[in-house]
Amino acid sequence: MKKYRVMYRPTETASELSAKSEEVYADGWRVDHDKVVLYAHEDAPDGQAADILVFDVPKTQIMRIQEISR
């Protein structure tokens, strides 16, 4: 898994000064229809792979996603 720092505004109308930051361990991230999703990849017993939701933020509130190297 990789470590990401996600910066986002707590509400759509909040300013950049009130931004929050979370450090999240995930395998990757993607943009869905209305939100940004960080996910972990898990292999199921039947051989099918599944993505497990780790963290999500509405895409209108996201400011930055940064991968943190170890």
Side-chain angles (χ1 to χ4, degrees):
M1 275 203 208
K2 300 174 187 174
K3 186 176 182 180
Y4 293 95
R5 180 173 295 127
V6 182
M7 292 183 66
Y8 62 97
R9 293 186 308 266
T11 63
E12 281 190 43
T13 58
S15 70
E16 289 187 23
L17 298 175
S18 62
K20 292 191 174 200
S21 177
E22 300 277 341
E23 291 188 359
V24 179
Y25 286 94
D27 288 325
W29 63 275
R30 67 175 178 263
V31 178
D32 283 348
H33 177 69
D34 60 345
K35 59 181 130 181
V36 176
V37 175
L38 282 85
Y39 61 89
H41 203 68
E42 185 175 283
D43 293 328
D46 61 359
Q48 297 290 332
D51 290 339
I52 307 298
L53 176 70
V54 177
F55 187 81
D56 68 338
V57 176
K59 69 180 184 181
T60 57
Q61 294 171 225
I62 197 80
M63 294 171 63
R64 179 182 313 159
I65 298 176
Q66 176 183 12
E67 184 178 336
I68 301 170
S69 60
R70 297 183 207 191

